[in-house]
Amino acid sequence: MEQEGLYKYVQSMINSSTHRPKYMSISTVKVADLLGVPRTEVENGLKSLVAEGRLKTSKLEQPPYTEVYMLQ
């Protein structure tokens, strides 16, 4: 999966979020299904984007304790 394509897709998802500040919990299964790629490719792509510093990640402190992604 192309990193730039995944980044643009995730960026548009986060920007359309109604949260303040902008963040979103991203389901790798749903993104993989929409893009027609394996889930592991999406997971690896997101990890790579976080490592590059293009995305920031954190865990919610309250239930459902999901991992959320924010733009840098």
Side-chain angles (χ1 to χ4, degrees):
M1 152 148 264
E2 183 197 331
Q3 288 293 101
E4 193 59 33
L6 178 61
Y7 178 72
K8 293 289 183 188
Y9 189 77
V10 169
Q11 181 184 30
S12 68
M13 289 173 63
I14 294 171
N15 282 331
S16 68
S17 170
T18 59
H19 300 287
R20 298 278 186 243
K22 297 285 189 180
Y23 68 89
M24 180 169 223
S25 175
I26 297 172
S27 169
T28 56
V29 174
K30 286 182 182 178
V31 172
D33 188 42
L34 290 170
L35 298 177
V37 297
R39 177 183 54 87
T40 55
E41 280 190 44
V42 174
E43 288 174 350
N44 292 336
L46 288 173
K47 287 178 187 176
S48 177
L49 290 170
V50 169
E52 289 174 12
R54 297 177 81 183
L55 292 177
K56 183 179 171 186
T57 185
S58 66
K59 273 235 190 258
L60 292 178
E61 296 176 4
Q62 299 173 358
Y65 305 109
T66 58
E67 193 166 5
V68 296
Y69 293 89
M70 296 167 269
L71 298 175
Q72 286 286 44

